[in-house]
Amino acid sequence: MDDVRGKVDDMTGKRSMKELLVGTYDMKYLCKPVFPYFRKSKGVPPPMFFGKDDFLGLFVALVMGLQHALAMVGGLITPPLLISNLAFGTRPGTNPPVPYSSGNPADTQRYLVQASLIVCGIMTFFQVLGVRIWKTNFQFGAGILSCMGVSFTTVPIATSVIGQLMKEQGHTFEEAYGMFLGTIAMCAVIPAILSFFPIRIIKKIFPPIVCGITIMMIGVHLIGAGFKNWGGGAFCADNWQHPPAPKTCYLPATYTNGTSYLQQSTQCWVGPGIKCGDPTKTEVFLPFGSQEYLGLGFLVFVTIIVLEIFGSPFMRNASVILALLFGYFIAAVTNYQGKKYVITNKIDQAPGITFLWTTTFPLGFYSPAIIPLMIVFIITSIETVGDTAATLEASRMQVNTEDGTRRIKGALLNDGISGIFSALATSLPLTTFAQNNGVISLTNVAARQAGFAAAFWLFLLGILGKVGAWITTIPECVLGGMTTFLFANVIASGIKIIINGDPLTRRSRFILACSLALAFGVELVPQWATLNLWPVTPGMSPGLRGLRDAIILVISTSFTLGAVVALILNLIIPADANANTCTTKALGLPEGADSGKLDGVDSSHDASGCEACEPLPPVKMITGGLEPVPTVEVTRDNAVDANTDRV
């Protein structure tokens, strides 16, 4: 009780009203733009570091929390927007057209966006809180400034599964999405189970090269979705030609003797076909890839680059959402031949306040999605371990200690519980977000008060119905310019994991080449695995059909195929025989020394292949007094960027 009273006194009683409200943070550093090409100094020096339990002040905490929320919100709204776009299509061959959605797809899209924000706000609160489990050495949540966000890794599986259920089995979007949610709730126990295993065992089975390949291929897959939106929309991108039209046209043909001629036909393909545009949010309908669409998306993309070069730390951390807002503003104030790019009917009709379960989906189960989702949750678990360790380092806390291990396992447990809760709350599964690590490093603030404020902002944005409706009115081309950048960051994150986690020895390069060969091949030519590899026969039993669908889903999805191949090859290909010798030479150790037994030496990576090893310079032994270590001034030039995946 005395400890609690002391903490309360520290928070309130010993501070002036100005400190309680404003705090002591240097807002000049946070908000002042820079001009790197015209300055002689190194910029404004960063403020003092605020640790996990340091006091910020109400205003500063809200500003820092808003910064974390804005750094995340672009990534949070993208998955539900991509998934809900499937509800806007119509079943082919129906006249009049029969929509995939049994309700209003615009309302469904708005709800899914807001549900994602609400769930992220709730679970971020528990992640930052870090509750110790009674009479155990475990905890629920990391207890540090670590935020939860919607995982991109489930988007390719979701679009494939939901599309298959709607097109091949006749389900509505609501039914297909409910079946996917039920399957997620079953598979989300994997991170919770892994949280009770030693971290070294998880890393041993799933090394960085496996995780890096998977994450990189997820980004490659999603880049296509970003470019489709950039060109005007996914539906018109997939249907840019007209269906066969009953009109006279001439098609190239060849006689039996090889002579070419033009054959008259009554049906032909003519383009451009279906025009882009949703009548509920725009008056402009143009063919896919029109100059106007590409220009608006390019404006968003260039704005992100400009903010990265000239922006203040706050603007750089929130560059994605600020660029999105700027692109939306330009689209809203301009028109095409007197027609508006943005109309606000959705905003006018949206409720003022909303919450979870105002729209529901019938929960079901789709067994073929189990294996791909298990791979997804294993990969996100490995990501969570790395992201939480990076957050601990950015917070200037020890990683390889009992406290650090407990916090990492608490984040894993929170990932599992969040996955189950989000599925029951009609949202896609969550995972620990890495963007916030860059914000911590750039602002020198690791205080949990900023994390609680970020949870507050996310929850507030989620319950305000007008906000969700505004998000659904963003033109696809504007959204595409932003999401293309986000998905490219996913690719960069995967490459960074591969490079930092494992030296590119002959063994690693072989695994990388085999995995990427199949993964990129399936990504570029998906019908390679879906047409005749295992065709469906009329007498196929339901059990065999489910097994067939599961295997085809794994093989036809680039990142799951790449992950499986990398995992198998990593287990069966032996390490190079000269791995230990090379590592010993690289570390400057005597022959026969075991580098794995040295304190402070990370020998978890495979340093095999002397071609990749460079001997380190000799270390001078200090026999006298220790010289002072020069301090390094952290400026905008050497601070960690908010868009990088790791510190």
Side-chain angles (χ1 to χ4, degrees):
M1 183 62 68
D2 293 337
D3 292 341
V4 174
R5 188 179 295 111
K7 291 181 180 180
V8 173
D9 290 339
D10 289 340
M11 294 290 289
T12 57
K14 296 182 180 180
R15 290 182 171 85
S16 64
M17 183 59 65
K18 180 180 178 180
E19 280 187 285
L20 289 174
L21 295 178
V22 181
T24 58
Y25 188 83
D26 183 9
M27 300 299 293
K28 179 182 178 181
Y29 164 80
L30 188 66
C31 302
K32 184 179 179 180
V34 295
F35 300 93
Y37 305 121
F38 306 102
R39 72 169 190 255
K40 296 181 179 179
S41 64
K42 294 184 178 180
V44 180
M48 68 175 186
F49 181 79
F50 287 80
K52 175 176 69 74
D53 296 317
D54 288 343
F55 183 79
L56 290 178
L58 179 62
F59 175 75
V60 174
L62 289 174
V63 171
M64 292 296 173
L66 179 62
Q67 186 173 211
H68 281 274
L70 293 180
M72 298 169 57
V73 72
L76 299 184
I77 65 175
T78 301
L81 287 176
L82 293 177
I83 300 302
S84 58
N85 279 339
L86 299 173
F88 286 88
T90 57
R91 300 188 183 279
T94 56
N95 191 17
V98 177
Y100 285 123
S101 176
S102 60
N104 186 343
D107 290 341
T108 302
Q109 186 175 61
R110 174 190 60 77
Y111 169 78
L112 291 181
V113 169
Q114 299 198 259
S116 297
L117 293 171
I118 293 173
V119 171
C120 288
I122 294 173
M123 300 314 299
T124 294
F125 174 82
F126 287 105
Q127 175 81 329
V128 177
L129 183 62
V131 182
R132 289 291 295 270
I133 300 177
W134 188 54
K135 289 187 177 182
T136 68
N137 196 33
F138 297 95
Q139 67 181 53
F140 173 54
I144 53 178
L145 180 45
S146 175
C147 299
M148 302 296 293
V150 180
S151 175
F152 280 117
T153 56
T154 55
V155 173
I157 298 297
T159 54
S160 177
V161 168
I162 295 174
Q164 183 177 0
L165 288 172
M166 291 191 306
K167 297 174 182 178
E168 296 184 9
Q169 300 188 22
H171 293 283
T172 63
F173 173 80
E174 288 75 11
E175 293 171 343
Y177 185 66
M179 295 176 70
F180 186 70
L181 290 178
T183 313
I184 286 176
M186 294 289 293
C187 297
V189 299
I190 291 177
I193 295 174
L194 292 177
S195 67
F196 296 98
F197 282 81
I199 300 297
R200 58 180 178 82
I201 294 180
I202 302 174
K203 291 182 177 179
K204 183 70 174 178
I205 301 176
F206 304 100
I209 192 169
V210 176
C211 300
I213 290 172
T214 307
I215 294 170
M216 184 171 64
M217 291 310 304
I218 289 171
V220 170
H221 180 87
L222 293 174
I223 280 285
F227 253 58
K228 287 180 180 180
N229 278 328
W230 193 336
F235 185 71
C236 61
D238 295 333
N239 300 273
W240 63 274
Q241 290 181 315
H242 282 296
K247 59 179 292 186
T248 302
C249 59
Y250 296 89
L251 300 177
T254 305
Y255 289 114
T256 55
N257 61 0
T259 305
S260 299
Y261 71 99
L262 293 177
Q263 180 183 19
Q264 181 175 341
S265 174
T266 57
Q267 289 188 343
C268 62
W269 294 85
V270 290
I274 296 176
K275 293 186 177 182
C276 303
D278 179 2
T280 64
K281 63 180 183 181
T282 186
E283 296 176 348
V284 178
F285 303 94
L286 298 172
F288 179 79
S290 296
Q291 298 173 358
E292 293 79 6
Y293 291 148
L294 299 184
L296 286 172
F298 188 71
L299 176 66
V300 176
F301 198 86
V302 171
T303 303
I304 296 175
I305 299 175
V306 172
L307 290 175
E308 176 65 24
I309 298 174
F310 300 104
S312 66
F314 182 91
M315 297 172 71
R316 292 176 66 200
N317 290 331
S319 61
V320 170
I321 191 65
L322 292 178
L324 184 68
L325 290 172
F326 181 66
Y328 183 88
F329 171 76
I330 297 300
V333 298
T334 56
N335 62 75
Y336 176 78
Q337 297 180 353
K339 297 180 180 180
K340 297 179 180 179
Y341 284 101
V342 178
I343 57 177
T344 59
N345 295 342
K346 289 184 177 181
I347 302 176
D348 299 335
Q349 299 171 2
I353 301 293
T354 187
F355 197 66
L356 300 173
W357 302 295
T358 56
T359 299
T360 57
F361 305 90
L363 289 179
F365 188 72
Y366 185 60
S367 57
I370 293 178
I371 297 177
L373 285 176
M374 288 177 64
I375 296 174
V376 163
F377 279 110
I378 290 172
I379 296 303
T380 56
S381 299
I382 304 300
E383 275 192 287
T384 296
V385 172
D387 292 340
T388 309
T391 306
L392 288 169
E393 292 176 355
S395 304
R396 302 186 184 180
M397 300 172 64
Q398 296 295 323
V399 177
N400 298 318
T401 61
E402 182 180 349
D403 178 73
T405 301
R406 186 180 68 250
R407 294 183 185 278
I408 292 174
K409 291 186 174 184
L412 270 177
L413 181 60
N414 189 38
D415 263 26
I417 301 299
S418 297
I420 298 173
F421 172 71
S422 62
L424 298 179
T426 66
S427 174
L428 294 171
L430 310 185
T431 188
T432 303
F433 250 37
Q435 286 92 328
N436 306 89
N437 296 334
V439 180
I440 294 173
S441 299
L442 200 59
T443 60
N444 263 4
V445 173
R448 290 194 299 165
Q449 291 179 353
F452 291 128
F456 164 76
W457 285 114
L458 293 174
F459 185 81
L460 181 64
L461 292 174
I463 64 174
L464 296 177
K466 301 294 184 181
V467 173
W470 167 77
I471 292 173
T472 62
T473 63
I474 299 174
E476 278 81 2
C477 56
V478 174
L479 187 68
M482 181 267 289
T483 55
T484 300
F485 173 78
L486 285 179
F487 299 150
N489 266 310
V490 177
I491 300 175
S493 299
I495 295 174
K496 185 176 181 182
I497 291 173
I498 295 173
I499 295 175
N500 291 352
D502 218 0
L504 291 180
T505 60
R506 176 182 175 85
R507 177 180 182 273
S508 299
R509 292 196 302 269
F510 184 83
I511 296 174
L512 190 64
C514 291
S515 304
L516 293 183
L518 296 177
F520 271 106
V522 168
E523 182 63 38
L524 295 173
V525 190
Q527 63 269 26
W528 177 83
T530 57
L531 292 181
N532 298 301
L533 179 63
W534 191 349
V536 178
T537 58
M540 184 175 289
S541 65
L544 184 60
R545 173 66 187 271
L547 176 63
R548 176 260 178 200
D549 291 345
I551 294 176
I552 293 298
L553 185 59
V554 171
I555 297 176
S556 62
T557 306
S558 59
F559 76 89
T560 56
L561 180 60
V564 171
V565 173
L567 179 63
I568 295 174
L569 292 179
N570 180 70
L571 293 176
I572 65 176
I573 296 180
D576 291 344
N578 58 348
N580 293 332
T581 304
C582 184
T583 304
T584 300
K585 291 180 179 179
L587 293 173
L589 302 177
E591 284 294 331
D594 185 1
S595 62
K597 295 181 180 179
L598 293 179
D599 293 335
V601 176
D602 182 7
S603 61
S604 59
H605 304 318
D606 178 16
S608 59
C610 287
E611 65 201 60
C613 292
E614 292 291 339
L616 299 178
V619 180
K620 290 185 178 181
M621 300 301 296
I622 300 176
T623 56
L626 296 177
E627 296 182 1
V629 179
T631 57
V632 179
E633 180 183 9
V634 180
T635 67
R636 131 184 200 94
D637 296 325
N638 58 17
V640 177
D641 180 14
N643 293 319
T644 56
D645 188 67
R646 297 286 189 274
V647 175

